[in-house]
PDB file of all heavy atoms in Angstrom:
ATOM      1  N   THR B 101     -52.772  67.461   1.122  1.00 95.00           N
ATOM      2  CA  THR B 101     -52.996  68.458   2.171  1.00 95.00           C
ATOM      3  C   THR B 101     -51.680  69.194   2.397  1.00 95.00           C
ATOM      4  O   THR B 101     -50.655  68.872   1.782  1.00 95.00           O
ATOM      5  CB  THR B 101     -53.422  67.786   3.479  1.00 95.00           C
ATOM      6  OG1 THR B 101     -52.344  66.944   3.915  1.00 95.00           O
ATOM      7  CG2 THR B 101     -54.671  66.962   3.287  1.00 95.00           C
ATOM      8  N   GLU B 102     -51.727  70.153   3.280  1.00 94.00           N
ATOM      9  CA  GLU B 102     -50.491  70.870   3.581  1.00 94.00           C
ATOM     10  C   GLU B 102     -49.473  69.886   4.189  1.00 94.00           C
ATOM     11  O   GLU B 102     -48.310  69.844   3.789  1.00 94.00           O
ATOM     12  CB  GLU B 102     -50.789  71.998   4.577  1.00 94.00           C
ATOM     13  CG  GLU B 102     -50.039  73.277   4.306  1.00 94.00           C
ATOM     14  CD  GLU B 102     -50.572  74.410   5.178  1.00 94.00           C
ATOM     15  OE1 GLU B 102     -51.731  74.818   4.999  1.00 94.00           O
ATOM     16  OE2 GLU B 102     -49.817  74.853   6.051  1.00 94.00           O
ATOM     17  N   ALA B 103     -49.965  69.094   5.121  1.00 92.00           N
ATOM     18  CA  ALA B 103     -49.093  68.088   5.728  1.00 92.00           C
ATOM     19  C   ALA B 103     -48.544  67.145   4.674  1.00 92.00           C
ATOM     20  O   ALA B 103     -47.363  66.782   4.695  1.00 92.00           O
ATOM     21  CB  ALA B 103     -49.872  67.306   6.793  1.00 92.00           C
ATOM     22  N   GLY B 104     -49.404  66.763   3.739  1.00 91.00           N
ATOM     23  CA  GLY B 104     -48.968  65.868   2.685  1.00 91.00           C
ATOM     24  C   GLY B 104     -47.854  66.466   1.853  1.00 91.00           C
ATOM     25  O   GLY B 104     -46.863  65.800   1.537  1.00 91.00           O
ATOM     26  N   ALA B 105     -48.001  67.736   1.521  1.00 92.00           N
ATOM     27  CA  ALA B 105     -46.964  68.398   0.731  1.00 92.00           C
ATOM     28  C   ALA B 105     -45.648  68.444   1.496  1.00 92.00           C
ATOM     29  O   ALA B 105     -44.576  68.222   0.921  1.00 92.00           O
ATOM     30  CB  ALA B 105     -47.429  69.812   0.376  1.00 92.00           C
ATOM     31  N   GLU B 106     -45.750  68.673   2.796  1.00 91.00           N
ATOM     32  CA  GLU B 106     -44.534  68.725   3.610  1.00 91.00           C
ATOM     33  C   GLU B 106     -43.848  67.368   3.666  1.00 91.00           C
ATOM     34  O   GLU B 106     -42.646  67.252   3.410  1.00 91.00           O
ATOM     35  CB  GLU B 106     -44.872  69.168   5.035  1.00 91.00           C
ATOM     36  CG  GLU B 106     -44.976  70.673   5.208  1.00 91.00           C
ATOM     37  CD  GLU B 106     -45.536  71.004   6.579  1.00 91.00           C
ATOM     38  OE1 GLU B 106     -45.281  70.230   7.532  1.00 91.00           O
ATOM     39  OE2 GLU B 106     -46.251  72.014   6.688  1.00 91.00           O
ATOM     40  N   VAL B 107     -44.631  66.356   4.002  1.00 88.00           N
ATOM     41  CA  VAL B 107     -44.067  65.010   4.088  1.00 88.00           C
ATOM     42  C   VAL B 107     -43.448  64.620   2.755  1.00 88.00           C
ATOM     43  O   VAL B 107     -42.346  64.080   2.700  1.00 88.00           O
ATOM     44  CB  VAL B 107     -45.156  63.996   4.487  1.00 88.00           C
ATOM     45  CG1 VAL B 107     -44.673  62.577   4.273  1.00 88.00           C
ATOM     46  CG2 VAL B 107     -45.561  64.202   5.933  1.00 88.00           C
ATOM     47  N   LEU B 108     -44.136  64.923   1.703  1.00 87.00           N
ATOM     48  CA  LEU B 108     -43.633  64.591   0.378  1.00 87.00           C
ATOM     49  C   LEU B 108     -42.302  65.282   0.102  1.00 87.00           C
ATOM     50  O   LEU B 108     -41.345  64.653  -0.356  1.00 87.00           O
ATOM     51  CB  LEU B 108     -44.652  64.985  -0.682  1.00 87.00           C
ATOM     52  CG  LEU B 108     -44.250  64.688  -2.126  1.00 87.00           C
ATOM     53  CD1 LEU B 108     -44.034  63.203  -2.325  1.00 87.00           C
ATOM     54  CD2 LEU B 108     -45.302  65.210  -3.092  1.00 87.00           C
ATOM     55  N   ALA B 109     -42.266  66.563   0.415  1.00 88.00           N
ATOM     56  CA  ALA B 109     -41.038  67.305   0.167  1.00 88.00           C
ATOM     57  C   ALA B 109     -39.879  66.707   0.958  1.00 88.00           C
ATOM     58  O   ALA B 109     -38.775  66.526   0.443  1.00 88.00           O
ATOM     59  CB  ALA B 109     -41.242  68.770   0.540  1.00 88.00           C
ATOM     60  N   SER B 110     -40.163  66.378   2.196  1.00 85.00           N
ATOM     61  CA  SER B 110     -39.122  65.800   3.042  1.00 85.00           C
ATOM     62  C   SER B 110     -38.658  64.461   2.498  1.00 85.00           C
ATOM     63  O   SER B 110     -37.459  64.177   2.422  1.00 85.00           O
ATOM     64  CB  SER B 110     -39.663  65.653   4.467  1.00 85.00           C
ATOM     65  OG  SER B 110     -39.065  64.549   5.104  1.00 85.00           O
TER      66      SER B 110
END
Side-chain angles (χ1 to χ4, degrees):
Chain B
T101 63
E102 219 170 294
E106 277 171 32
V107 167
L108 180 61
S110 149

